[in-house]
């Protein structure tokens, strides 16, 4: 009967994204009309079409691991600028439940922080998040956690250091857990890059079900009986892999549920844990394996070679169109550049159907979909939109009030930045140089960050905020003091707790 045209002005696409994607081979019928790219060193998040044109971008930048998609079309956004110091890469300990418009519905505080991956546990009603974390027992990136979003609490931990022989734990980043994949409600697959190992864990019992790796790696250890036995011709061994997940390329689970099929991105590098069976090939691969869980055997079913991508990267399988994607997020890496490549193949014939060159590396890529019309609806934010608690400050022993007032003033050259967000006091500084924060009122409260120290020069130059919750403090005004590079200072900064 009538039609009215509405024009909604938006900001322009950033210049760096205008020529980000170059189609090398455009598929006639792409299984991914829109590709969603996220993470990487600069952490850009955007979607592009089959012509390479960017059609969506998120102006806020997450941590370098990118966003974590959830089944309801939303995603978990790890805060890039607020972190928890660790022995190497600082971890995001503030995370938002966000939609494609950038609207945050809830905020989650995760003690200890998370890193490479997080996803919703099936059957939990979106309540339970399974994520990669760190034990922080002088070890890093070797812990799986189950986090209850309703309670804002970690309800169970799976410390990989308790599963594997101590001889493997000869370095801080000994496992480098880079993917956790939920196989239904009871099991997870984990990928440990620095062990060239994929494993399956029973979430209920906490037991290791099986291990996929070269048998020689675990020969003579207590885990040797758990290692899958390779069968079939030309078995393909992977090295420093990423992104393991269960797939269904055919009737992969029989009536007795004895078999399963998995897919992973084989980066095919051997720099972190050198082994004698590395074949020196200068390529990466998408690999498919079929596993008989009764006989504990495994066979290679498909292998798709692509350009060498030394780090990051993932794979994607479209079962309906039977397409395979290699998301080579660090392909063409060189001294002064780091590009990426995305491939599309026909799973059955192996024919390459599409290829895109990306001018900036990324962590992962997957289909971009808007599942429903939820973005048109008003977002209802509950009163209790913050869930969980970070590590709380503790009262200092004795009366230090007079001592604090006599401290020297923090030199301006140190350039610390102070902020107050919700129930957090934030202080921005270079990694591990800020050792303690004091809140000085009727009682002196202390948050000590010296439980870890930096073991890698790569991350020592990072600058970020550390967060200290103050909701447990009595109402009143508090002066902020710090211990910085071994010396204590008054900062001249105050905050009021109402």
């Amino acid at each position: 009967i009538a039609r009215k045209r509405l024009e909604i002005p938006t900001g322009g696409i950033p210049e760096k994204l205008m020529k980000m994607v170059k189609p090398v081979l455009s598929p006639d019928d792409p299984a991914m009309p829109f590709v969603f790219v996220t993470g990487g060193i600069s952490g850009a998040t955007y979607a592009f079409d089959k012509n390479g044109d960017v059609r969506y971008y998120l102006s806020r930048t997450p941590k370098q691991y990118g966003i974590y998609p959830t089944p309801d079309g939303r995603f978990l956004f790890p805060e890039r600028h607020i972190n928890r110091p660790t022995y190497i890469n600082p971890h995001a300990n503030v995370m938002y439940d966000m939609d494609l418009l950038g609207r945050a519905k809830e905020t989650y505080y995760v003690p200890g922080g998370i890193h490479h991956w997080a996803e919703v546990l099936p059957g939990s009603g979106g309540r339970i998040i399974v994520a990669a974390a760190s034990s922080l027992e002088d070890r890093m990136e070797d812990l799986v956690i189950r986090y209850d979003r309703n309670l804002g609490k970690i309800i169970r931990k799976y410390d990989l250091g308790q599963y594997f022989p101590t001889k493997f734990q000869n370095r801080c980043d000994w496992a480098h857990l880079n993917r956790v994949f939920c196989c239904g409600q009871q099991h997870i697959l984990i990928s440990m890059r620095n062990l060239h190992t994929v494993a399956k864990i029973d979430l209920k019992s906490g037991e290791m079900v099986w291990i996929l790796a070269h048998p020689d790696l675990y020969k003579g250890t207590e885990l040797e009986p758990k290692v899958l036995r390779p069968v079939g011709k030309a078995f393909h061994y992977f090295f420093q892999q990423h992104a393991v997940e269960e797939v269904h390329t055919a009737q992969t689970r029989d009536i007795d549920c004895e078999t399963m099929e998995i897919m992973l991105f084989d980066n095919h590098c051997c720099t972190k844990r050198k082994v004698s069976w590395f074949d020196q090939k200068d390529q990466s691969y998408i690999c498919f394996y079929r596993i008989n869980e009764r006989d504990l055997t495994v066979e290679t079913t498909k292998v798709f070679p692509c350009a060498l991508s030394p780090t990051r990267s993932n794979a994607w399988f479209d079962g309906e169109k039977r397409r395979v994607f290699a998301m080579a997020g660090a392909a063409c890496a060189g001294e002064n550049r780091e590009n990426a490549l995305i491939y599309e193949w026909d799973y059955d014939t192996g024919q390459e159907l599409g290829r895109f060159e990306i001018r900036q590396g990324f962590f992962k890529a997957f289909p971009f979909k808007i599942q429903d019309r939820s973005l048109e609806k008003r977002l209802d934010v509950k009163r209790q939109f913050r869930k969980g608690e970070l590590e709380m400050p503790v009262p200092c022993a004795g009366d230090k009030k007079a001592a604090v007032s006599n401290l020297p003033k923090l030199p301006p050259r140190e350039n610390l930045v102070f902020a107050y967000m919700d129930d957090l006091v934030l202080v921005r500084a270079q990694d591990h140089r800020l050792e303690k924060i004091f809140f000085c009122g009727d009682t002196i409260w202390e948050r000590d960050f010296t439980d870890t120290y930096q073991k890698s020069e790569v991350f020592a130059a990072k600058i970020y905020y550390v967060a200290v919750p103050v909701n447990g403090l009595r109402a009143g005004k508090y002066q902020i003091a710090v211990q910085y590079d071994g010396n204590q200072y008054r900062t001249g900064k105050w905050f009021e707790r109402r």
Side-chain angles (χ1 to χ4, degrees):
I1 298 175
R3 178 178 294 177
K4 185 175 183 178
R5 181 182 179 88
L6 298 177
E7 292 189 6
I8 303 175
T10 65
I13 297 292
E15 185 177 351
K16 71 174 185 177
L17 295 181
M18 293 294 289
K19 297 182 179 180
M20 179 66 74
V21 183
K22 176 184 176 182
V24 178
L25 175 62
S26 298
D28 295 329
D29 179 28
M32 267 192 215
F34 300 96
V35 181
F36 202 23
V37 173
T38 186
I41 294 175
S42 65
T45 296
Y46 59 93
F48 66 87
D49 63 18
K50 66 178 183 179
N51 299 315
D53 295 326
V54 172
R55 305 291 296 275
Y56 168 90
Y57 84 99
L58 190 64
S59 59
R60 193 177 181 96
T61 305
K63 283 283 284 185
Q64 69 266 34
Y65 308 114
I67 63 170
Y68 310 123
T70 54
D72 56 0
R74 301 173 64 83
F75 52 86
L76 301 173
F77 182 102
E79 173 60 58
R80 185 180 185 89
H81 301 293
I82 304 175
N83 290 277
R84 200 262 194 224
T86 70
Y87 292 106
I88 46 174
N89 198 355
H91 288 353
N93 55 358
V94 177
M95 188 165 56
Y96 312 120
D97 178 348
M98 190 177 287
D99 68 13
L100 292 169
L101 292 180
R103 301 180 299 179
K105 185 177 181 180
E106 290 185 322
T107 298
Y108 308 114
Y109 297 157
V110 186
I114 64 172
H115 51 93
H116 285 74
W117 196 261
E119 66 178 66
V120 173
L121 181 68
S124 68
R127 184 170 62 94
I128 305 299
I129 299 295
V130 181
S134 291
S135 64
L136 298 178
E137 298 289 340
D138 208 33
R139 297 180 273 111
M140 285 294 300
E141 302 192 359
D142 60 350
L143 181 74
V144 177
I145 63 171
R146 293 171 67 183
Y147 181 88
D148 189 313
R149 291 205 279 178
N150 288 352
L151 301 175
K153 291 183 179 180
I154 297 173
I155 56 176
R156 186 160 181 181
K157 298 180 180 181
Y158 304 84
D159 185 349
L160 301 184
Q162 306 300 317
Y163 290 87
F164 290 86
T166 55
K167 74 171 187 176
F168 291 133
Q169 301 172 40
N170 56 354
R171 55 186 293 175
C172 179
D173 189 15
W174 66 279
H176 197 89
L177 174 66
N178 59 30
R179 179 65 194 269
V180 180
F181 178 82
C182 298
C183 301
Q185 301 177 39
Q186 188 167 337
H187 297 93
I188 57 171
L189 298 177
I190 58 173
S191 168
M192 292 165 284
R193 184 194 72 176
N194 290 359
L195 278 181
H196 315 298
T197 294
V198 166
K200 184 177 182 180
I201 294 176
D202 187 311
L203 290 174
K204 187 175 181 179
S205 68
E207 294 182 358
M208 186 83 68
V209 180
W210 50 252
I211 292 172
L212 174 56
H214 195 290
D216 287 355
L217 185 62
Y218 295 95
K219 190 173 183 178
T221 72
E222 60 269 31
L223 290 177
E224 184 176 1
K226 300 282 188 181
V227 178
L228 299 174
R229 179 170 55 87
V231 296
K233 298 180 180 179
F235 189 84
H236 181 95
Y237 288 105
F238 50 82
F239 302 88
Q240 294 183 195
Q241 76 294 333
H242 282 71
V244 64
E245 60 183 78
E246 184 177 12
V247 292
H248 300 277
T249 65
Q251 191 69 25
T252 55
R253 275 202 176 275
D254 61 26
I255 193 169
D256 295 321
C257 296
E258 293 176 350
T259 64
M260 68 179 299
E261 192 167 10
I262 66 171
M263 171 185 68
L264 56 81
F265 190 99
D266 173 14
N267 298 82
H268 218 75
C269 292
C270 194
T271 57
K272 305 302 180 182
R273 186 176 298 274
K274 298 185 183 300
V275 291
S276 60
W277 52 90
F278 181 56
D279 56 17
Q280 308 294 329
K281 291 183 179 178
D282 196 30
Q283 284 184 306
S284 293
Y285 304 87
I286 306 299
C287 304
F288 291 79
Y289 298 95
R290 182 171 289 119
I291 297 165
N292 187 307
E293 297 191 298
R294 182 191 61 187
D295 298 337
L296 289 182
T297 59
V298 57
E299 61 178 320
T300 306
T301 55
K302 291 276 187 177
V303 176
F304 297 85
C306 63
L308 180 67
S309 185
T311 59
R312 304 194 295 273
S313 309
N314 69 299
W316 189 269
F317 175 70
D318 186 313
E320 183 177 338
K321 291 192 173 183
R322 300 188 67 75
R323 304 283 178 83
V324 179
F325 291 83
M327 311 301 194
C332 312
E335 183 177 348
N336 299 315
R337 68 190 184 104
E338 183 181 71
N339 295 349
L341 290 168
I342 293 179
Y343 299 81
E344 179 178 355
W345 295 284
D346 183 292
Y347 174 82
D348 297 303
T349 67
Q351 179 186 359
E352 184 179 352
L353 303 175
R355 186 187 301 188
F356 295 93
E357 181 179 307
I358 318 294
R359 291 177 170 84
Q360 178 178 285
F362 57 81
F363 186 80
K364 58 181 175 283
F366 46 88
F368 179 76
K369 296 179 181 179
I370 298 178
Q371 294 186 345
D372 54 31
R373 303 180 67 171
S374 61
L375 297 182
E376 303 173 14
K377 301 175 182 177
R378 179 179 181 271
L379 181 67
D380 291 322
V381 179
K382 297 180 180 179
R383 182 178 181 87
Q384 187 62 33
F385 65 90
R386 293 188 300 270
K387 303 292 182 65
E389 295 284 355
L390 298 180
E391 294 90 334
M392 300 289 292
V394 297
C396 292
D399 182 11
K400 294 188 177 181
K401 190 171 183 178
V404 169
S405 62
N406 292 327
L407 290 176
K409 188 168 175 50
L410 180 71
R413 66 176 181 272
E414 302 303 350
N415 197 30
L416 299 187
V417 178
F418 298 83
Y420 191 80
M421 183 187 81
D422 296 331
D423 56 351
L424 302 176
V425 167
L426 307 175
V427 185
R428 186 173 182 265
Q430 187 174 335
D431 183 80
H432 278 91
R433 296 185 68 183
L434 180 63
E435 298 163 339
K436 296 181 180 182
I437 299 175
F438 302 96
F439 301 140
C440 311
D442 293 336
T443 302
I444 309 297
W445 296 81
E446 173 189 303
R447 173 67 172 96
D448 190 342
F449 292 98
T450 60
D451 58 335
T452 63
Y453 59 93
Q454 186 54 258
K455 294 186 175 185
S456 170
E457 294 182 3
V458 175
F459 302 103
K462 281 188 173 291
I463 298 174
Y464 53 89
Y465 286 97
V466 294
V468 186
V470 296
N471 55 318
L473 275 61
R474 292 177 59 184
K477 294 188 68 176
Y478 292 83
Q479 182 182 180
I480 302 176
V482 297
Q483 181 171 309
Y484 185 80
D485 280 345
N487 299 308
Q488 293 187 356
Y489 302 97
R490 55 186 173 88
T491 66
K493 303 291 183 181
W494 297 75
F495 74 92
E496 185 172 3
R497 171 71 178 152
R498 296 184 183 275

